Structure formats: structure tokens, C-alpha cells
């Protein structure tokens, strides 16, 4: 046998032994529990990330791109995260135009054959303004997103239950070697939690007088909540469905007039955004209103007030009740 061929075989055996040892130690595959999981799912938003993790349990490795307090409209991904999308068994994203800085990377992964799920398309989405409770043609004139599909479906827990079914079905279909029975069991348990959440929200909403169920927010984000629970959307500081837009002086004047006419006692801004515009609107227009924060588009860290989707919804409805009740 030629000497160089023998050396090559000896080197191959050494490489194989080292690789085996590293794999056993968890160095190549990550921690050992992850090595036992069926595959990898990448999720864009942290809200959906929490939901997917509840469904996946220990069966699938779940990687969430957006960290706590992220704005999904302006969030951008790193090269490492883009690579994670390309290598995933399934990419779960909100869709309907929410992740404006991520969609190109999601589309690129889909083009390369990665399975993707746009959850918003599965939950009977509403259009901005015309399908929101209390909003008509006049509101359409002040909402730059009027007529477009509204991506903020998670403010309706009933639609999130529908999302759970869609996510579970795609996990089972797309992740090789997954335990379908375990996924379905997790989905059933989490769906029950969402049913209980919906009942809690309704009980809290019932404490708010019907004539006070009116919303002014920093942008158009609570249309689904309004439709589900019978609120009127008076308007938004940023007259659009995205935080990337900005209001004009006339927009703020029109909103101030609408607030005076309706007698709304509170303006609700997103906790991940500065409340400056809300304070300016209240102060300069001479409005006697509170400016309160909601967790509308992102979860917080574990030490924050909304580390999970259910925590977020519970916290928000309590804040709404506090701001709108006499």
C-alpha cells in the first residue's frame, strides 16, 4: 500500500474518532437535549416564538429571531440569523407585511426550498379600518393602511387558537421524525389555556362600561381586539398599521378633536416605543387623558411584565380596564 494512502486512512480514522467523541460530548450538536430533538424551527417574532415553543415542547429545537421588546416592523436580522432561516426545517412567521425587515430573507429561504408558514394568512385576517369595530369611511381617510390586511391578529385570542392548529399541523408535516402525538397533545393543552384566557379577558372587559370601550393607540394595532370584544377604535397617533410611518400636524389635530368628541379618558402607547407623541398630543391639545403603556407588539424579558403571550394579554386587558373604567 502506498505510504500516502495509509497516512490518509489513518488521518480519516482519527478524524472519525474525534468527531464521534465531540458529538457524544454535545460539542457538535449543541447540548444533548437539543440533539435528541427532531429538527429545527425558526420563528420570526417573539410572540409567535412563545406559542410555537408551547406546541413544540421538547420535540423540536425552536429559534426565535426577535429578542424581547423588539419592534417587528423595524427589526432586521443578522447574517447568522439569515443562515438559520436557510437551514431550518420550517420557518414560522407572522406575515401580512408585519416583519418588514425580515420578509426578504424569509422569501429567499422559501425559494431555496425551506418550508414556511405565514400564520396571519391562516386566521381569517381583517383589513384595516373598514373591518374594525366603529371605523368607517371617515376613519379610512386618516389611516394610511386602510384596505390592507391587518397583521396584528394576536390581539384576538380566538384567532390565536386557530393559529395553534395551523402551526401544529405544519410542524407534523414538515419536521422529519417528529412525534406527532406529542405535538398534538401539546397543541390541545395550549389551546385550552387560550380558551381560559379568552374567558378571563371577557370577564375583565365586562367591568368596563360599554360607553367607555373606545381605543386610541399609538398606531393601528388593536383592530382584532376591538372586533372581538366590542370596542370602538377612535384613532391612532401614527395613522397607519406600521410604526415606520409618522403623523402630520393635521393628523394630530384631527385625532385631538376626535378624542375631545368621544371623551376618551386614556391613550394607549406601545411599551417598546417612546410615549413622547402621546404626551405631546395630550399636552399641546389640552387633553385631560392618561397615557398608558400596553405590550402590543412584543414580549418582554422574563423579568418584564409580559414574558409570554398569555401574560401579555392578561396585562394589557388589565391596563385597558384601569384606563377606561370610571
Amino acid at each position: 500500500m502506498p505510504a500516502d494512502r495509509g497516512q490518509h486512512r489513518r488521518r480519516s480514522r482519527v478524524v472519525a474518532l474525534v468527531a464521534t467523541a465531540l458529538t457524544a460530548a454535545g460539542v457538535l450538536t449543541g447540548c444533548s437535549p437539543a440533539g435528541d430533538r427532531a429538527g429545527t424551527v425558526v420563528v420570526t417574532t417573539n410572540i409567535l416564538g412563545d406559542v410555537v415553543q408551547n406546541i413544540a415542547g421538547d420535540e423540536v429545537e425552536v429559534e426565535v429571531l426577535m429578542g424581547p421588546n423588539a419592534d417587528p416592523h423595524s427589526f432586521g436580522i443578522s447574517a447568522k440569523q439569515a443562515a438559520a432561516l436557510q437551514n431550518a426545517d420550517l420557518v414560522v412567521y407572522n406575515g401580512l407585511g408585519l416583519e418588514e425587515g425580515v420578509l426578504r430573507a424569509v422569501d429567499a429561504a422559501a425559494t431555496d426550498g425551506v418550508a414556511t408558514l405565514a400564520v396571519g394568512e391562516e386566521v381569517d385576517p381583517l383589513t384595516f379600518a373598514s373591518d374594525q369595530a366603529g371605523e368607517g369611511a371617515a376613519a379610512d381617510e386618516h389611516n394610511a393602511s386602510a384596505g390592507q390586511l391587518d397583521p396584528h391578529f394576536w390581539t384576538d385570542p380566538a384567532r390565536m387558537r386557530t393559529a395553534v392548529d395551523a402551526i401544529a399541523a405544519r410542524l407534523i408535516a414538515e419536521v422529519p421524525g417528529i412525534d406527532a402525538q406529542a405535538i398534538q397533545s401539546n397543541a390541545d393543552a395550549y389551546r385550552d389555556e387560550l380558551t381560559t384566557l379568552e374567558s378571563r379577558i371577557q370577564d375583565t372587559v365586562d367591568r368596563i362600561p360599554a360607553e367607555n370601550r373606545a381605543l386610541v393607540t399609538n398606531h393601528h394595532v388593536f383592530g382584532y381586539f376591538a372586533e372581538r370584544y366590542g370596542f370602538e377604535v377612535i384613532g391612532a397617533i401614527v395613522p397607519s398599521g406600521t410604526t415606520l410611518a409618522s403623523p402630520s400636524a393635521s393628523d394630530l389635530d384631527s385625532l385631538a378633536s376626535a378624542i375631545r368628541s368621544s371623551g376618551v379618558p386614556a391613550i394607549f402607547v406601545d411599551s417598546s416605543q417612546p410615549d413622547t407623541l402621546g404626551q405631546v398630543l395630550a399636552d399641546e391639545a389640552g387633553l385631560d387623558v392618561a397615557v398608558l403603556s400596553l405590550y402590543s407588539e412584543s414580549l418582554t424579558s422574563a423579568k418584564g411584565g409580559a414574558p409570554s403571550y398569555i401574560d401579555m394579554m392578561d396585562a394589557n386587558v388589565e391596563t385597558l380596564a384601569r384606563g377606561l373604567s370610571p
Side-chain angles (χ1 to χ4, degrees):
M1 174 186 300
D4 57 345
R5 185 178 301 176
Q7 291 172 356
H8 174 75
R9 289 187 176 179
R10 284 194 295 273
R11 284 197 298 269
S12 297
R13 286 197 295 270
V14 170
V15 171
L17 288 171
V18 171
T20 300
L22 290 173
T23 301
V27 175
L28 294 184
T29 59
C31 61
S32 55
D36 294 337
R37 294 173 183 170
T40 301
V41 176
V42 174
V43 189
T44 55
T45 72
N46 53 44
I47 294 173
L48 283 177
D50 177 59
V51 175
V52 172
Q53 186 62 74
N54 274 278
I55 300 168
D58 294 329
E59 298 300 315
V60 182
E61 184 74 10
V62 178
E63 179 175 344
V64 182
L65 299 183
M66 296 184 192
N69 303 308
D71 180 348
H73 296 284
S74 61
F75 179 82
I77 62 173
S78 66
K80 181 179 179 181
Q81 289 175 321
L85 288 169
Q86 294 285 342
N87 294 320
D89 294 294
L90 174 66
V91 173
V92 177
Y93 67 110
N94 191 95
L96 305 181
L98 180 77
E99 307 100 321
E100 299 173 54
V102 182
L103 289 178
R104 181 176 296 178
V106 172
D107 290 343
T111 299
D112 288 344
V114 177
T116 62
L117 172 63
V119 180
E121 297 176 4
E122 307 293 324
V123 296
D124 188 24
L126 301 175
T127 55
F128 279 110
S130 59
D131 285 350
Q132 293 177 1
E135 294 198 355
D140 289 348
E141 296 174 2
H142 301 289
N143 183 355
S145 299
Q148 299 174 20
L149 291 174
D150 185 347
H152 307 96
F153 68 87
W154 61 84
T155 63
D156 175 7
R159 279 184 166 84
M160 191 60 94
R161 283 204 311 272
T162 301
V164 168
D165 293 335
I167 293 166
R170 289 301 296 277
L171 285 173
I172 292 169
E174 303 295 349
V175 180
I178 201 168
D179 185 337
Q181 185 174 355
I183 294 297
Q184 194 59 59
S185 177
N186 292 342
D188 291 343
Y190 190 62
R191 198 185 308 103
D192 289 344
E193 291 186 49
L194 295 180
T195 299
T196 302
L197 169 67
E198 190 175 5
S199 297
R200 280 201 307 274
I201 291 175
Q202 186 63 65
D203 289 343
T204 304
V205 167
D206 288 343
R207 293 172 9 212
I208 304 172
E211 63 273 17
N212 286 15
R213 295 176 193 174
L215 294 175
V216 176
T217 54
N218 65 313
H219 71 293
H220 287 283
V221 67
F222 277 90
Y224 289 90
F225 181 91
E227 189 229 27
R228 178 63 58 188
Y229 294 104
F231 281 69
E232 180 181 3
V233 178
I234 300 299
I237 298 171
V238 177
S240 175
T242 174
T243 58
L244 301 183
S246 58
S248 66
S250 62
D251 290 327
L252 295 177
D253 286 344
S254 295
L255 181 57
S257 296
I259 292 172
R260 291 191 195 96
S261 298
S262 63
V264 172
I267 297 170
F268 299 97
V269 298
D270 190 282
S271 62
S272 65
Q273 299 287 327
D275 67 356
T276 307
L277 279 176
Q279 296 290 352
V280 167
L281 176 65
D283 294 342
E284 294 192 0
L287 299 172
D288 183 20
V289 295
V291 179
L292 303 175
S293 293
L294 298 176
Y295 305 105
S296 59
E297 293 204 291
S298 180
L299 303 184
T300 66
S301 65
K303 295 182 179 179
S308 74
Y309 169 70
I310 289 176
D311 290 333
M312 178 186 77
M313 294 297 291
D314 279 329
N316 283 347
V317 74
E318 287 295 336
T319 300
L320 288 170
R322 176 162 45 89
L324 299 177
S325 297

